[in-house]
Amino acid sequence: MQSDPDSYQDSSKDTQAQRKMTNPKTVTAKRSRMSLCISNFGRRSFLGRAGVVTAVATSVATAMMSPVRSSTKRGDIAYAQNTGERNGGSQILQEVLSANQTYVKNFGDKSNLPLPPGRRFAILTCMDARLDPAKYAGLSEGDAHVIRNAGGRASDDAIRSLVISYKLLGTKEWFVIHHTNCGMEFFTDQVIRKLLSNSLTTAVLDENGFRDVGQRPGSTEGEFINWLTINDQVTSVAIDVRRIRFHPLVPRDIPIYGYLYDVKTGELIEIPEATEIGRAA
């Protein structure tokens, strides 16, 4: 009976593969890599006042995927700048990477911070660049969860984050903080939908409001988004606190405070109606 050359080659490859798999050196190397992963992905228990929250550390994955960490080992801030140049030459990118190198050098013992926020509260606020929750609320790394979006609105995604914040990570108090002179007051859903349908170029804001300066085509996809624009800041804070307070996934024993941040003074101004709505049961 004549043997099939192709079958013989396949069989030979299988045999070689089996030998490689059972080779002591290969097995040892695989076990070493597995031990390294296990040691770095060890489970940690974090004890809070209300109980224990267990989380999985992911330091190995972060270290393996982060080019900035490798540049830190080189001890060369210029490496980050060179990386920015290779990635398109953006000045902003270079500045961010350079600043990150400085931050890494002074990182200290922050790697030992637990996963749950130490002060056990969360803030929902606006993405406006003039707002710095770390400064106006006295936060340090590891203190609190800060959830930001356009307007600081209680969108579905914001509530998703808040639910995770309490259910898995133990926060006990929440703040909803809007601010004066918010860009979400300067347009309506209809305005932004029209702007987007005209073009995808950044619009211009003047005394008459936003106007489009781009060239077609735009997109009508904006018609399907609830942009959660704001008519009145005080009212919007109360509306958002109410939505969170009575959401079926939010327990009644979490107090929700409503505040307005004054961009002219930096002061947090309480909205009594909102705080009353958010009072814990």
Side-chain angles (χ1 to χ4, degrees):
M1 179 177 179
Q2 187 175 3
S3 61
D4 185 348
D6 292 336
S7 299
Y8 175 78
Q9 291 177 359
D10 292 342
S11 175
S12 176
K13 290 179 181 178
D14 291 342
T15 302
Q16 292 175 4
Q18 291 174 358
R19 287 175 180 171
K20 185 175 182 181
M21 292 175 62
T22 56
N23 187 303
K25 293 183 179 180
T26 303
V27 172
T28 301
K30 286 183 177 180
R31 286 176 178 171
S32 297
R33 288 195 295 270
M34 184 176 295
S35 297
L36 176 63
C37 289
I38 291 174
S39 65
N40 283 279
F41 280 89
R43 297 180 66 82
R44 297 181 181 178
S45 293
F46 303 97
L47 182 61
R49 283 174 290 178
V52 176
V53 180
T54 303
V56 179
T58 56
S59 57
V60 168
T62 303
M64 292 173 65
M65 293 187 292
S66 173
V68 176
R69 283 186 178 271
S70 62
S71 71
T72 304
K73 294 177 182 178
R74 293 177 175 83
D76 185 6
I77 295 179
Y79 175 79
Q81 296 174 320
N82 293 335
T83 302
E85 291 171 358
R86 288 199 300 272
N87 289 327
S90 165
Q91 179 65 30
I92 294 298
L93 177 58
Q94 294 176 39
E95 291 171 359
V96 168
L97 293 178
S98 179
N100 178 249
Q101 292 302 291
T102 302
Y103 182 70
V104 167
K105 288 188 173 183
N106 299 289
F107 200 65
D109 63 353
K110 294 185 182 70
S111 60
N112 297 321
L113 287 171
L115 181 59
R119 293 171 63 187
R120 301 168 69 81
F121 74 94
I123 295 173
L124 170 60
T125 193
C126 185
M127 68 181 188
D128 193 297
R130 295 169 293 179
L131 276 62
D132 188 345
K135 291 181 180 177
Y136 73 60
L139 305 179
S140 297
E141 292 97 328
D143 277 353
H145 287 154
V146 179
I147 302 158
R148 304 185 71 162
N149 62 34
R153 302 307 310 271
S155 62
D156 288 347
D157 194 62
I159 292 176
R160 176 187 70 90
S161 295
L162 287 170
V163 170
I164 292 171
S165 178
Y166 96 81
K167 184 66 176 179
L168 303 182
L169 297 168
T171 56
K172 298 297 182 183
E173 300 174 69
W174 296 345
F175 289 77
V176 173
I177 303 176
H178 294 188
H179 66 96
T180 60
N181 193 231
C182 183
M184 298 299 286
E185 299 176 88
F186 301 156
F187 65 97
T188 64
D189 282 22
Q190 290 71 28
V191 167
I192 191 169
R193 286 167 180 164
K194 183 178 180 180
L195 290 170
L196 289 167
S197 66
N198 287 336
S199 82
L200 301 183
T201 303
T202 300
V204 171
L205 177 62
D206 57 27
E207 63 276 6
N208 297 316
F210 286 100
R211 59 185 177 86
D212 194 70
V213 294
Q215 301 294 321
R216 291 180 179 276
S219 173
T220 58
E221 283 298 311
E223 296 289 335
F224 303 98
I225 295 177
N226 181 356
W227 296 96
L228 299 176
T229 54
I230 293 173
N231 290 323
D232 177 79
Q233 281 293 352
V234 172
T235 302
S236 70
V237 173
I239 288 173
D240 283 358
V241 169
R242 180 181 295 278
R243 186 179 188 220
I244 297 169
R245 171 77 291 154
F246 295 105
H247 195 282
L249 297 179
V250 174
R252 296 302 302 273
D253 61 349
I254 294 180
I256 308 167
Y257 313 116
Y259 279 81
L260 191 66
Y261 174 85
D262 189 337
V263 298
K264 297 298 183 182
T265 66
E267 182 182 5
L268 289 177
I269 303 167
E270 184 181 18
I271 308 301
E273 177 189 356
T275 298
E276 180 61 30
I277 294 170
R279 191 179 301 278

PDB file of all heavy atoms in Angstrom, residues 63-83:
ATOM      1  N   ALA A  63       1.166  47.647  32.059  1.00  0.00           N
ATOM      2  CA  ALA A  63       2.594  47.804  31.796  1.00  0.00           C
ATOM      3  C   ALA A  63       2.971  47.300  30.420  1.00  0.00           C
ATOM      4  O   ALA A  63       3.798  47.877  29.727  1.00  0.00           O
ATOM      5  CB  ALA A  63       3.394  47.055  32.867  1.00  0.00           C
ATOM      6  N   MET A  64       2.335  46.202  29.991  1.00  0.00           N
ATOM      7  CA  MET A  64       2.665  45.619  28.693  1.00  0.00           C
ATOM      8  C   MET A  64       2.178  46.475  27.546  1.00  0.00           C
ATOM      9  O   MET A  64       2.794  46.536  26.488  1.00  0.00           O
ATOM     10  CB  MET A  64       2.061  44.211  28.582  1.00  0.00           C
ATOM     11  CG  MET A  64       2.713  43.198  29.517  1.00  0.00           C
ATOM     12  SD  MET A  64       1.850  41.625  29.495  1.00  0.00           S
ATOM     13  CE  MET A  64       2.131  41.109  27.811  1.00  0.00           C
ATOM     14  N   MET A  65       1.039  47.156  27.750  1.00  0.00           N
ATOM     15  CA  MET A  65       0.437  47.904  26.650  1.00  0.00           C
ATOM     16  C   MET A  65       0.883  49.349  26.592  1.00  0.00           C
ATOM     17  O   MET A  65       0.652  50.029  25.610  1.00  0.00           O
ATOM     18  CB  MET A  65      -1.090  47.861  26.771  1.00  0.00           C
ATOM     19  CG  MET A  65      -1.673  46.484  26.557  1.00  0.00           C
ATOM     20  SD  MET A  65      -3.477  46.509  26.506  1.00  0.00           S
ATOM     21  CE  MET A  65      -3.850  46.938  28.185  1.00  0.00           C
ATOM     22  N   SER A  66       1.515  49.868  27.639  1.00  0.00           N
ATOM     23  CA  SER A  66       1.815  51.293  27.700  1.00  0.00           C
ATOM     24  C   SER A  66       3.209  51.613  27.199  1.00  0.00           C
ATOM     25  O   SER A  66       4.198  51.226  27.799  1.00  0.00           O
ATOM     26  CB  SER A  66       1.684  51.792  29.143  1.00  0.00           C
ATOM     27  OG  SER A  66       2.127  53.120  29.225  1.00  0.00           O
ATOM     28  N   PRO A  67       3.334  52.327  26.053  1.00  0.00           N
ATOM     29  CA  PRO A  67       4.643  52.725  25.560  1.00  0.00           C
ATOM     30  C   PRO A  67       5.295  53.754  26.469  1.00  0.00           C
ATOM     31  O   PRO A  67       6.501  53.876  26.517  1.00  0.00           O
ATOM     32  CB  PRO A  67       4.336  53.320  24.184  1.00  0.00           C
ATOM     33  CG  PRO A  67       2.935  53.804  24.285  1.00  0.00           C
ATOM     34  CD  PRO A  67       2.255  52.810  25.185  1.00  0.00           C
ATOM     35  N   VAL A  68       4.490  54.501  27.220  1.00  0.00           N
ATOM     36  CA  VAL A  68       5.042  55.532  28.086  1.00  0.00           C
ATOM     37  C   VAL A  68       5.809  54.904  29.239  1.00  0.00           C
ATOM     38  O   VAL A  68       6.823  55.411  29.685  1.00  0.00           O
ATOM     39  CB  VAL A  68       3.924  56.445  28.605  1.00  0.00           C
ATOM     40  CG1 VAL A  68       4.463  57.472  29.590  1.00  0.00           C
ATOM     41  CG2 VAL A  68       3.258  57.161  27.439  1.00  0.00           C
ATOM     42  N   ARG A  69       5.332  53.753  29.736  1.00  0.00           N
ATOM     43  CA  ARG A  69       6.043  53.086  30.815  1.00  0.00           C
ATOM     44  C   ARG A  69       7.445  52.666  30.359  1.00  0.00           C
ATOM     45  O   ARG A  69       8.400  52.774  31.092  1.00  0.00           O
ATOM     46  CB  ARG A  69       5.264  51.853  31.299  1.00  0.00           C
ATOM     47  CG  ARG A  69       4.077  52.208  32.177  1.00  0.00           C
ATOM     48  CD  ARG A  69       3.457  50.946  32.742  1.00  0.00           C
ATOM     49  NE  ARG A  69       2.351  51.272  33.607  1.00  0.00           N
ATOM     50  CZ  ARG A  69       2.473  51.513  34.901  1.00  0.00           C
ATOM     51  NH1 ARG A  69       3.644  51.495  35.457  1.00  0.00           N
ATOM     52  NH2 ARG A  69       1.410  51.793  35.628  1.00  0.00           N
ATOM     53  N   SER A  70       7.542  52.156  29.130  1.00  0.00           N
ATOM     54  CA  SER A  70       8.844  51.757  28.647  1.00  0.00           C
ATOM     55  C   SER A  70       9.758  52.965  28.515  1.00  0.00           C
ATOM     56  O   SER A  70      10.960  52.876  28.727  1.00  0.00           O
ATOM     57  CB  SER A  70       8.715  51.031  27.304  1.00  0.00           C
ATOM     58  OG  SER A  70       8.160  51.891  26.331  1.00  0.00           O
ATOM     59  N   SER A  71       9.179  54.117  28.167  1.00  0.00           N
ATOM     60  CA  SER A  71       9.996  55.317  28.047  1.00  0.00           C
ATOM     61  C   SER A  71      10.461  55.775  29.421  1.00  0.00           C
ATOM     62  O   SER A  71      11.528  56.358  29.565  1.00  0.00           O
ATOM     63  CB  SER A  71       9.214  56.435  27.359  1.00  0.00           C
ATOM     64  OG  SER A  71       8.203  56.939  28.196  1.00  0.00           O
ATOM     65  N   THR A  72       9.660  55.464  30.458  1.00  0.00           N
ATOM     66  CA  THR A  72      10.057  55.836  31.800  1.00  0.00           C
ATOM     67  C   THR A  72      11.327  55.081  32.203  1.00  0.00           C
ATOM     68  O   THR A  72      12.225  55.623  32.829  1.00  0.00           O
ATOM     69  CB  THR A  72       8.934  55.495  32.789  1.00  0.00           C
ATOM     70  OG1 THR A  72       7.750  56.134  32.370  1.00  0.00           O
ATOM     71  CG2 THR A  72       9.289  55.950  34.196  1.00  0.00           C
ATOM     72  N   LYS A  73      11.396  53.824  31.823  1.00  0.00           N
ATOM     73  CA  LYS A  73      12.567  53.037  32.146  1.00  0.00           C
ATOM     74  C   LYS A  73      13.815  53.624  31.485  1.00  0.00           C
ATOM     75  O   LYS A  73      14.913  53.477  31.975  1.00  0.00           O
ATOM     76  CB  LYS A  73      12.353  51.588  31.706  1.00  0.00           C
ATOM     77  CG  LYS A  73      11.243  50.888  32.489  1.00  0.00           C
ATOM     78  CD  LYS A  73      11.011  49.486  31.971  1.00  0.00           C
ATOM     79  CE  LYS A  73       9.875  48.817  32.735  1.00  0.00           C
ATOM     80  NZ  LYS A  73       9.596  47.466  32.225  1.00  0.00           N
ATOM     81  N   ARG A  74      13.636  54.220  30.336  1.00  0.00           N
ATOM     82  CA  ARG A  74      14.764  54.851  29.676  1.00  0.00           C
ATOM     83  C   ARG A  74      15.186  56.125  30.407  1.00  0.00           C
ATOM     84  O   ARG A  74      16.273  56.642  30.199  1.00  0.00           O
ATOM     85  CB  ARG A  74      14.410  55.210  28.228  1.00  0.00           C
ATOM     86  CG  ARG A  74      14.175  53.994  27.340  1.00  0.00           C
ATOM     87  CD  ARG A  74      13.767  54.466  25.953  1.00  0.00           C
ATOM     88  NE  ARG A  74      13.643  53.377  25.014  1.00  0.00           N
ATOM     89  CZ  ARG A  74      12.587  52.600  24.880  1.00  0.00           C
ATOM     90  NH1 ARG A  74      11.560  52.800  25.682  1.00  0.00           N
ATOM     91  NH2 ARG A  74      12.543  51.629  24.006  1.00  0.00           N
ATOM     92  N   GLY A  75      14.269  56.655  31.263  1.00  0.00           N
ATOM     93  CA  GLY A  75      14.573  57.874  31.993  1.00  0.00           C
ATOM     94  C   GLY A  75      14.774  59.058  31.093  1.00  0.00           C
ATOM     95  O   GLY A  75      15.608  59.921  31.352  1.00  0.00           O
ATOM     96  N   ASP A  76      13.984  59.117  30.015  1.00  0.00           N
ATOM     97  CA  ASP A  76      14.220  60.168  29.026  1.00  0.00           C
ATOM     98  C   ASP A  76      12.906  60.817  28.634  1.00  0.00           C
ATOM     99  O   ASP A  76      12.101  60.223  27.927  1.00  0.00           O
ATOM    100  CB  ASP A  76      14.904  59.567  27.790  1.00  0.00           C
ATOM    101  CG  ASP A  76      15.289  60.629  26.767  1.00  0.00           C
ATOM    102  OD1 ASP A  76      15.136  61.837  27.055  1.00  0.00           O
ATOM    103  OD2 ASP A  76      15.744  60.246  25.682  1.00  0.00           O
ATOM    104  N   ILE A  77      12.667  62.028  29.121  1.00  0.00           N
ATOM    105  CA  ILE A  77      11.439  62.737  28.789  1.00  0.00           C
ATOM    106  C   ILE A  77      11.366  63.014  27.298  1.00  0.00           C
ATOM    107  O   ILE A  77      10.296  63.007  26.699  1.00  0.00           O
ATOM    108  CB  ILE A  77      11.353  64.055  29.582  1.00  0.00           C
ATOM    109  CG1 ILE A  77      11.231  63.736  31.072  1.00  0.00           C
ATOM    110  CG2 ILE A  77      10.183  64.902  29.116  1.00  0.00           C
ATOM    111  CD1 ILE A  77      11.159  64.955  31.948  1.00  0.00           C
ATOM    112  N   ALA A  78      12.517  63.226  26.688  1.00  0.00           N
ATOM    113  CA  ALA A  78      12.531  63.522  25.255  1.00  0.00           C
ATOM    114  C   ALA A  78      11.975  62.364  24.453  1.00  0.00           C
ATOM    115  O   ALA A  78      11.472  62.549  23.340  1.00  0.00           O
ATOM    116  CB  ALA A  78      13.960  63.830  24.803  1.00  0.00           C
ATOM    117  N   TYR A  79      12.032  61.148  25.010  1.00  0.00           N
ATOM    118  CA  TYR A  79      11.488  59.991  24.298  1.00  0.00           C
ATOM    119  C   TYR A  79      10.000  60.170  24.030  1.00  0.00           C
ATOM    120  O   TYR A  79       9.509  59.848  22.952  1.00  0.00           O
ATOM    121  CB  TYR A  79      11.705  58.727  25.128  1.00  0.00           C
ATOM    122  CG  TYR A  79      11.065  57.497  24.530  1.00  0.00           C
ATOM    123  CD1 TYR A  79      11.664  56.812  23.481  1.00  0.00           C
ATOM    124  CD2 TYR A  79       9.838  57.030  25.010  1.00  0.00           C
ATOM    125  CE1 TYR A  79      11.068  55.695  22.928  1.00  0.00           C
ATOM    126  CE2 TYR A  79       9.242  55.918  24.463  1.00  0.00           C
ATOM    127  CZ  TYR A  79       9.862  55.251  23.423  1.00  0.00           C
ATOM    128  OH  TYR A  79       9.258  54.151  22.877  1.00  0.00           O
ATOM    129  N   ALA A  80       9.283  60.701  25.031  1.00  0.00           N
ATOM    130  CA  ALA A  80       7.851  60.935  24.850  1.00  0.00           C
ATOM    131  C   ALA A  80       7.610  61.959  23.756  1.00  0.00           C
ATOM    132  O   ALA A  80       6.692  61.834  22.954  1.00  0.00           O
ATOM    133  CB  ALA A  80       7.229  61.409  26.165  1.00  0.00           C
ATOM    134  N   GLN A  81       8.445  62.985  23.708  1.00  0.00           N
ATOM    135  CA  GLN A  81       8.285  63.996  22.672  1.00  0.00           C
ATOM    136  C   GLN A  81       8.571  63.418  21.296  1.00  0.00           C
ATOM    137  O   GLN A  81       7.886  63.709  20.329  1.00  0.00           O
ATOM    138  CB  GLN A  81       9.215  65.169  22.968  1.00  0.00           C
ATOM    139  CG  GLN A  81       8.865  65.901  24.268  1.00  0.00           C
ATOM    140  CD  GLN A  81       9.880  66.956  24.628  1.00  0.00           C
ATOM    141  OE1 GLN A  81      11.072  66.756  24.471  1.00  0.00           O
ATOM    142  NE2 GLN A  81       9.404  68.092  25.106  1.00  0.00           N
ATOM    143  N   ASN A  82       9.597  62.582  21.208  1.00  0.00           N
ATOM    144  CA  ASN A  82       9.908  61.949  19.935  1.00  0.00           C
ATOM    145  C   ASN A  82       8.788  61.029  19.486  1.00  0.00           C
ATOM    146  O   ASN A  82       8.470  60.931  18.308  1.00  0.00           O
ATOM    147  CB  ASN A  82      11.217  61.160  20.042  1.00  0.00           C
ATOM    148  CG  ASN A  82      12.415  62.065  20.241  1.00  0.00           C
ATOM    149  OD1 ASN A  82      12.381  63.231  19.856  1.00  0.00           O
ATOM    150  ND2 ASN A  82      13.470  61.535  20.853  1.00  0.00           N
ATOM    151  N   THR A  83       8.164  60.348  20.462  1.00  0.00           N
ATOM    152  CA  THR A  83       7.024  59.492  20.136  1.00  0.00           C
ATOM    153  C   THR A  83       5.896  60.317  19.558  1.00  0.00           C
ATOM    154  O   THR A  83       5.249  59.927  18.586  1.00  0.00           O
ATOM    155  CB  THR A  83       6.527  58.754  21.405  1.00  0.00           C
ATOM    156  OG1 THR A  83       7.592  57.984  21.943  1.00  0.00           O
ATOM    157  CG2 THR A  83       5.362  57.840  21.066  1.00  0.00           C
TER     158      THR A  83
END
